[in-house]
């Protein structure tokens, strides 16, 4: 039996229309069940999202006041292992975490060098760097006038022990190992204020 092509084409188109029509009817029925307005999904405005619970939020400057300075192994510029607790016992400490590609760290280093020169032997400044090689660390800091000791936290032990989540970060420690302050970015005047508070805490101990 011979079937003419036009009739076959019309039959195919009719079948396709019926299939599509059935799908549309089914979709409208599903929309109706989802709600009167036919909408079963609403895009969320990011501005409407609630902030995470405090227990999950990251504080770039954790409150460590009164905590004991943690023990960690670092490397000096010569590659020798140094315990962080070996810094305790003589003078209060200003310990600054930084690295060369951190823009705020770069701005801070010259101010730290300036205040370090002013305090003399009253306070010991130490720079802690978790990222740079020794040549980069020494050159970068030296170009900004830094003359105090520089250490590498290669295994991020001290950074982890203090909960450092952002750079730069500075912690102020009495000679007996009590943390009495911590900050993010500081200028020279802000650093002087923190050093004065550190010395007061040292004298009260």
């Amino acid at each position: 039996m011979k079937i003419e092509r036009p009739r076959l084409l019309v039959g195919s188109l009719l079948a396709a229309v019926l299939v599509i029509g059935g799908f549309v009817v089914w979709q409208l029925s599903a929309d109706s069940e989802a709600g009167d307005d036919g909408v079963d999904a609403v895009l969320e405005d990011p501005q409407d999202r609630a902030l995470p619970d405090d227990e999950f939020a990251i504080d770039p400057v954790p409150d460590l006041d009164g905590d004991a300075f943690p023990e960690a192994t670092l490397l000096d510029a010569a590659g020798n292992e140094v315990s962080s607790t070996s810094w305790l016992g003589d003078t209060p400490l200003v310990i600054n975490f930084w690295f060369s590609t951190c823009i705020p760290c770069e701005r801070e280093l010259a101010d730290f060098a300036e205040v370090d020169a002013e305090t003399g032997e009253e306070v010991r400044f130490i720079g802690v760097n978790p990222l740079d090689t020794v040549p980069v660390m020494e050159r970068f800091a030296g170009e900004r006038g830094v003359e105090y000791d520089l250490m590498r936290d290669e295994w991020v032990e001290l950074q982890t022990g203090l909960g450092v989540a952002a750079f730069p970060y500075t912690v102020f420690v009495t000679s007996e190992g009590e943390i009495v302050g911590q900050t993010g970015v500081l200028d020279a005047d802000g650093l002087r204020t923190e050093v004065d508070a550190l010395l007061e805490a040292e004298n009260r101990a």
Side-chain angles (χ1 to χ4, degrees):
M1 177 178 172
K2 184 178 180 180
I3 301 177
E4 296 181 4
R5 292 184 182 276
R7 292 178 60 188
L8 179 60
L9 178 60
V10 170
S12 298
L13 289 175
L14 181 59
V17 168
L18 291 174
V19 170
I20 294 172
F23 175 79
V24 170
V25 170
W26 172 82
Q27 185 64 50
L28 290 175
S29 175
D31 288 346
S32 176
E33 292 176 2
D36 293 337
D37 56 1
V39 177
D40 59 358
V42 178
L43 293 178
E44 182 182 6
D45 186 342
Q47 299 297 325
D48 294 335
R49 293 179 182 173
L51 293 175
D53 293 338
D54 290 342
E55 61 181 307
F56 298 111
I58 296 177
D59 185 352
V61 185
D63 183 5
L64 303 174
D65 287 4
D67 288 1
F69 186 62
E71 182 175 5
T73 300
L74 298 93
L75 299 176
D76 64 16
N80 301 310
E81 291 189 359
V82 178
S83 171
S84 59
T85 54
S86 69
W87 304 334
L88 304 175
D90 295 324
T91 59
L93 304 170
V94 174
I95 301 171
N96 176 241
F97 287 79
W98 68 279
F99 56 91
S100 61
T101 54
C102 162
I103 301 298
C105 302
E106 177 182 0
R107 296 174 185 152
E108 223 183 34
L109 282 178
D111 288 337
F112 273 66
E114 178 182 334
V115 178
D116 171 53
E118 293 172 1
T119 59
E121 296 181 356
E122 285 187 288
V123 176
R124 182 181 179 186
F125 280 65
I126 298 173
V128 176
N129 190 313
L131 295 179
D132 294 319
T133 63
V134 170
V136 169
M137 175 179 72
E138 291 189 319
R139 182 182 69 251
F140 193 87
E143 289 172 351
R144 286 150 186 83
V146 171
E147 296 182 353
Y148 49 80
D149 292 330
L150 300 174
M151 304 284 173
R152 294 194 64 243
D153 192 9
E154 184 170 339
W155 303 290
V156 297
E157 286 185 17
L158 187 55
Q159 180 181 335
T160 301
L162 291 169
V164 179
F167 288 76
Y169 175 87
T170 304
V171 61
F172 302 88
V173 186
T174 67
S175 61
E176 295 182 352
E178 180 185 358
I179 298 173
V180 295
Q182 58 278 311
T183 68
V185 182
L186 282 173
D187 59 14
D189 288 339
L191 179 56
R192 290 186 184 98
T193 298
E194 295 291 343
V195 168
D196 287 343
L198 173 60
L199 290 172
E200 289 179 6
E202 179 73 13
N203 292 332
R204 289 195 302 267

